């Protein structure tokens, strides 16, 4: 019985590996399209267009149709080298084509007469504009994630760079990373997709989306704040989606290590603590981690691991009153600085202690009236 379950699990795992490419989620992948023409401007049907991932060397190819048009779907966001091949024409090459999260990219190519052994390489291309749709939003690439300061190491804080995003104070939504207002919509309603999978859950009877998981900064490749016209597969959102893609390994082994620290020996004393002759409270904050990625099977299977740990030890200094020696013995007479009369009652009512068990309810005052004072 155990052998049967083992074989069944192994078959499912292998099926997941081999079918993963054809069953990739449409939620974060993009498309590349365009028209292939000759020097006269006429369309070129039957040309082979290949986009090859620079880091993984994984190719995505298609053939131009009778109208010279081509379309590649479900292309993961990455940097690609483009190549167009057609008999009777020079090979067209364009390097470092960047495809962002859920981007619909349009790249046209004009072929020159010649042989396939000769090539025309486009070294500096113009900025690719998203002319295929009217989707609005802001993509935050790895460059921004690496170089912009992040207090608290919250990668989703970079969503505030998006036009139309406004921060809100504490309250409804709390300190959730999606607690922002997007284009006037309600706060804390944005869905967060991680590699195409929703990582939020709705809070009951509130309409608030609660993020269940926030990835480490160094494990995020890029993300896009999509604010309108996103695809029909996306739901569970009040009008905005944070579409996140995690990092992946490549054919080259790469990694990093880091540590961010805060220590009271590197910090000046607080003003009030210094004025009172106190010392700065102890603080030991260490945020450390490492990443590593590379190939398991070159050009086919890759891995990427990320670890982040936080150690935070903090203290506070403050001034507080403590009982005097007399009060520790049960003598509270020093509370009455004005002195006592002959029966032992304090001449200053503010310094008198009363027996709480001697209060009598007064219906006119609608409350208890103190009647038994503690003498001296």
């Amino acid at each position: 019985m155990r052998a049967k379950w083992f074989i069944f699990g192994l078959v499912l795992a292998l099926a997941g590996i081999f079918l993963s490419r054809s069953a990739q989620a449409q939620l974060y992948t993009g498309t590349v399209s365009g028209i292939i023409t000759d020097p006269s401007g006429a369309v070129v049907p039957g040309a082979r267009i290949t986009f090859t991932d620079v880091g993984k060397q994984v190719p995505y190819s298609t053939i131009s149709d009778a109208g010279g048009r081509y379309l590649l779907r479900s292309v993961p966001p990455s940097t690609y080298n483009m190549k167009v091949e057609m008999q009777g024409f020079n090979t067209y090459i364009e390097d470092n084509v960047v495809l962002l999260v859920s981007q619909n990219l349009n790249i046209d190519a004009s072929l020159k007469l010649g042989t396939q052994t000769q090539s025309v390489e486009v070294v500096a291309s113009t900025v690719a504009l998203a002319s295929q749709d009217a989707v609005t939003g802001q993509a935050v690439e790895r460059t921004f994630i690496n170089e912009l300061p992040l207090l608290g190491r919250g990668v989703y804080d970079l969503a505030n760079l998006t036009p139309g995003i406004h921060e809100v104070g504490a309250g409804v939504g709390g300190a959730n990373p999606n607690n922002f207002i997007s284009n006037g919509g309600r706060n804390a309603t944005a869905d967060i997709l991680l590699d195409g999978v929703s990582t939020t859950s709705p809070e009951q009877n509130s309409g608030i989306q609660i993020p269940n998981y926030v990835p480490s900064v160094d494990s995020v490749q890029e993300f896009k704040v999509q604010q309108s016209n996103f695809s029909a597969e996306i739901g569970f959102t009040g009008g905005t989606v944070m579409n996140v893609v995690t990092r992946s390994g490549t054919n080259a082994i790469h990694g990093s290590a880091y540590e961010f620290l805060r220590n009271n020996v590197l910090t000046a004393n607080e003003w009030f603590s210094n004025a009172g002759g106190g010392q700065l409270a102890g603080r030991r904050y260490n945020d450390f981690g490492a990443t590593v990625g590379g190939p398991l099977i070159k050009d086919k299977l890759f891995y990427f691991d990320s670890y982040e740990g936080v150690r935070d030890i903090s203290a506070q200094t403050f001034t507080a009153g403590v009982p005097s020696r007399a009060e520790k013995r049960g003598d509270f007479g020093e509370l009455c600085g004005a002195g006592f009369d002959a029966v032992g009652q304090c001449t200053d009512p503010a310094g008198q202690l009363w027996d709480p068990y001697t209060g009598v309810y007064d219906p006119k005052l609608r409350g208890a009236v103190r009647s038994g004072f503690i003498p001296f």
Side-chain angles (χ1 to χ4, degrees):
M1 181 63 71
R2 292 183 178 179
K4 291 182 179 180
W5 280 110
F6 175 78
I7 295 174
F8 178 72
L10 183 60
V11 170
L12 287 180
L14 292 175
I17 292 175
F18 290 110
L19 296 178
S20 59
R21 182 168 178 177
S22 61
Q24 281 182 338
Q26 305 289 324
L27 301 180
Y28 67 91
T29 57
T31 64
V32 185
S33 62
I35 300 178
I36 309 301
T37 58
D38 62 15
S40 66
V43 298
V44 178
R48 174 169 291 277
I49 301 94
T50 304
F51 280 79
T52 304
D53 190 302
V54 173
K56 302 182 178 68
Q57 293 301 306
V58 176
Y60 298 85
S61 61
T62 186
I63 303 295
S64 60
D65 61 14
R69 298 182 179 274
Y70 73 91
L71 174 63
L72 283 170
R73 297 182 181 274
S74 301
V75 183
S78 187
T79 301
Y80 294 90
N81 291 335
M82 175 185 179
K83 182 167 66 173
V84 182
E85 300 171 292
M86 182 63 185
Q87 186 175 3
F89 294 90
N90 292 342
T91 300
Y92 177 94
I93 298 175
E94 184 170 343
D95 295 333
N96 299 321
V97 177
V98 178
L99 181 66
L100 302 177
V101 179
S102 298
Q103 185 179 16
N104 296 319
L105 197 58
N106 183 82
I107 301 180
D108 298 331
S110 178
L111 304 183
K112 294 185 178 181
L113 296 175
T115 63
Q116 285 184 280
T117 57
Q118 297 176 316
S119 63
V120 177
E121 184 172 359
V122 179
V123 177
S125 60
T126 58
V127 178
L129 299 178
S131 59
Q132 302 303 300
D133 52 47
V135 175
T136 62
Q138 175 71 48
V140 181
E141 304 175 50
R142 186 68 203 162
T143 303
F144 293 103
I145 297 174
N146 272 339
E147 298 181 358
L148 291 177
L150 278 174
L151 182 62
R153 300 273 294 165
V155 65
Y156 293 155
D157 292 345
L158 295 175
N160 295 311
L161 299 174
T162 305
I165 297 293
H166 300 280
E167 293 185 75
V168 297
V172 178
N176 295 331
N178 64 344
N179 187 27
F180 52 73
I181 295 174
S182 176
N183 291 338
R186 184 182 178 184
N187 63 308
T189 58
D191 192 14
I192 300 177
L193 302 178
L194 190 63
D195 292 332
V197 179
S198 177
T199 59
T200 62
S201 59
E203 183 177 333
Q204 292 184 353
N205 304 320
S206 67
I208 296 175
Q209 294 289 91
I210 304 298
N212 299 318
Y213 171 71
V214 178
S216 172
V217 174
D218 289 71
S219 66
V220 175
Q221 175 63 32
E222 59 182 280
F223 68 89
K224 184 176 183 179
V225 182
Q226 299 174 251
Q227 295 172 304
S228 68
N229 295 345
F230 36 75
S231 61
E233 296 107 330
I234 299 176
F236 304 105
T237 174
T240 296
V241 173
M242 296 176 65
N243 210 334
V244 187
V245 177
T246 58
R247 298 176 67 184
S248 172
T250 63
N251 282 327
I253 298 177
H254 59 280
S256 63
Y258 59 89
E259 179 171 5
F260 301 88
L261 64 90
R262 294 177 63 184
N263 195 299
N264 60 283
V265 300
L266 305 175
T267 310
N269 197 0
E270 298 177 1
W271 190 91
F272 290 102
S273 178
N274 188 60
Q279 296 181 352
L280 183 65
R283 181 67 190 275
R284 304 289 190 275
Y285 177 87
N286 298 88
D287 187 335
F288 54 93
T291 64
V292 61
L296 289 175
I297 302 176
K298 189 176 181 180
D299 298 342
K300 295 183 180 298
L301 188 62
F302 310 91
Y303 71 90
F304 185 87
D305 293 320
S306 174
Y307 170 80
E308 181 173 13
V310 176
R311 305 293 184 267
D312 189 2
I313 302 175
S314 61
Q316 292 181 337
T317 58
F318 62 94
T319 302
V322 296
S324 65
R325 292 184 178 180
E327 289 173 338
K328 290 180 179 179
R329 298 193 304 267
D331 182 2
F332 290 84
E334 59 187 356
L335 296 179
C336 179
F340 299 94
D341 59 16
V343 296
Q345 187 172 0
C346 184
T347 56
D348 180 8
Q352 180 62 56
L353 292 181
W354 297 81
D355 186 350
Y357 294 101
T358 61
V360 179
Y361 180 78
D362 188 339
K364 295 181 180 180
L365 298 177
R366 296 183 179 180
V369 178
R370 298 175 297 183
S371 58
F373 66 91
I374 301 175
F376 302 102

